Amino acid sequence: MKKSFKIILSFSLILSETLGMTSSFAQTKPKAPVVINPAPTAKDWADIAKLPDWSGVWNPNISDQDKKAITEMPPWQERQAKIIAFQIAEEKAGRPTPLFTNCLPEAMPSWMLITHNAMEILFTPGRVTMLGESDGNRLRRIYTDGREHPKEPDPSYHGHSIGHWEGDTLVVETTDIIPESLLAISEAAGVPNNGDMVVKERIYLKDKDLLVDELEIVAPKILTKPWKTTRFFFRQRNRKFDIVEGVCLEGYFVPKVDKNGDHLFEAIKHDVGGNRLVN
């Protein structure tokens, strides 16, 4: 009788431990994976319809850019100030410094500061996309789905941009910009940011056809303090102003037809600034 009681007691303990393990496993089972880019819903598209109208093609106000290159000079550190002064003098002398060569993008924040080309802005669920006309390297994705900057960044020319809406204003923060990316005030005056640059923007419509980009640029390796400036873009709605395909090095080649009838591009001799050389 005592032996039977011991067996029953042992079995009860084993069963109790097994049930406890099962319960513990049930409480700690792995969570379902987070979907990074979930499929948009009907509500997502309906929410986009409530946003301000940024459709059409936007052209920069180039005369305002040129004026602010003089009136709103960044607070350069001493070495960078000397470089910029030399570049400005060279440009005035007709020898502009070739900053943007070899098909490299203007990148952030120079694209928004000095571009002379049109852009188009697209709203889709979870992001705002900016498409530049000049070449295939002008593409910005501003994520509005609530994500944070990556914990393991992969720096790029345009960096990583996250944004949110405050009323009709898109508030953007861009980090993880490669240190080689220039902070430029004109197409012939600019210096590498050298790392740790952060760009903050407030983008909004000031008038139905006037888009404002208020920028605050923090670049501790080249600036003595944050630099605030503003750029303007005006809207063109006519179809003839649609952005077109631009290939940054296409002018370095001339179309030819070889002996087999194949259409090819033949390289043209050019200098570092892209100017064609006489054969």
Side-chain angles (χ1 to χ4, degrees):
M1 188 71 168
K2 291 182 178 179
K3 187 175 182 181
S4 298
F5 176 76
K6 289 181 178 178
I7 292 173
I8 292 171
L9 182 60
S10 298
F11 177 76
S12 298
L13 290 172
I14 293 171
L15 180 61
S16 175
E17 290 177 0
T18 302
L19 290 174
M21 291 173 62
T22 303
S23 175
S24 176
F25 176 75
Q27 293 175 5
T28 60
K29 65 180 180 180
K31 296 180 180 179
V34 177
V35 178
I36 297 176
N37 292 304
T41 64
K43 181 181 182 302
D44 292 331
W45 290 109
D47 289 342
I48 285 178
K50 301 173 185 176
L51 295 176
D53 175 19
W54 290 7
S55 61
V57 172
W58 296 95
N59 291 91
N61 186 326
I62 298 173
S63 61
D64 181 71
Q65 290 178 6
D66 294 341
K67 180 183 72 175
K68 287 180 177 173
I70 301 172
T71 61
E72 292 185 8
M73 183 70 69
W76 303 111
Q77 294 185 17
E78 184 177 357
R79 188 173 68 85
Q80 282 73 26
K82 291 179 180 179
I83 295 172
I84 294 295
F86 171 79
Q87 292 172 332
I88 291 174
E90 287 292 282
E91 186 176 16
K92 288 181 179 179
R95 300 184 297 269
T97 305
L99 296 180
F100 302 102
T101 58
N102 300 319
C103 209
L104 296 176
E106 284 180 341
M108 277 295 289
S110 294
W111 175 10
M112 306 307 293
L113 291 170
I114 68 166
T115 183
H116 288 185
N117 299 93
M119 71 173 175
E120 188 174 3
I121 304 173
L122 308 177
F123 291 170
T124 52
R127 72 184 62 180
V128 173
T129 302
M130 294 183 174
L131 302 172
E133 181 179 61
S134 179
D135 56 67
N137 290 322
R138 296 198 182 175
L139 170 65
R140 289 188 66 192
R141 295 185 182 90
I142 301 170
Y143 296 102
T144 57
D145 56 5
R147 73 181 65 187
E148 298 178 349
H149 293 302
K151 291 182 173 56
E152 296 182 5
D154 182 16
S156 62
Y157 280 95
H158 292 108
H160 187 270
S161 297
I162 55 176
H164 65 275
W165 290 93
E166 293 182 1
D168 289 341
T169 298
L170 180 61
V171 181
V172 186
E173 181 180 78
T174 302
T175 63
D176 306 330
I177 302 170
I178 60 173
E180 296 85 357
S181 176
L182 300 180
L183 175 52
I185 58 171
S186 76
E187 292 188 330
V191 292
N193 74 82
N194 291 342
D196 299 331
M197 180 167 62
V198 176
V199 181
K200 297 180 180 180
E201 297 168 278
R202 296 182 62 86
I203 309 173
Y204 58 90
L205 287 173
K206 187 172 183 178
D207 193 7
K208 66 183 182 69
D209 291 325
L210 180 62
L211 190 71
V212 178
D213 187 7
E214 296 178 353
L215 301 103
E216 180 180 0
I217 300 167
V218 178
K221 303 291 180 63
I222 61 173
L223 300 180
T224 59
K225 62 181 180 180
W227 177 47
K228 293 183 179 181
T229 188
T230 304
R231 293 296 182 270
F232 299 100
F233 298 82
F234 58 91
R235 176 157 36 199
Q236 301 282 9
R237 285 201 179 276
N238 294 340
R239 183 169 296 178
K240 66 179 180 179
F241 291 107
D242 283 350
I243 60 174
V244 298
E245 181 180 75
V247 181
C248 57
L249 290 184
E250 190 170 13
Y252 289 15
F253 300 87
V254 62
K256 291 283 186 179
V257 180
D258 69 8
K259 63 180 181 181
N260 298 314
D262 292 325
H263 290 251
L264 308 169
F265 282 114
E266 183 177 279
I268 301 172
K269 292 182 179 179
H270 59 274
D271 63 17
V272 67
N275 298 307
R276 184 172 179 172
L277 299 176
V278 178
N279 291 330

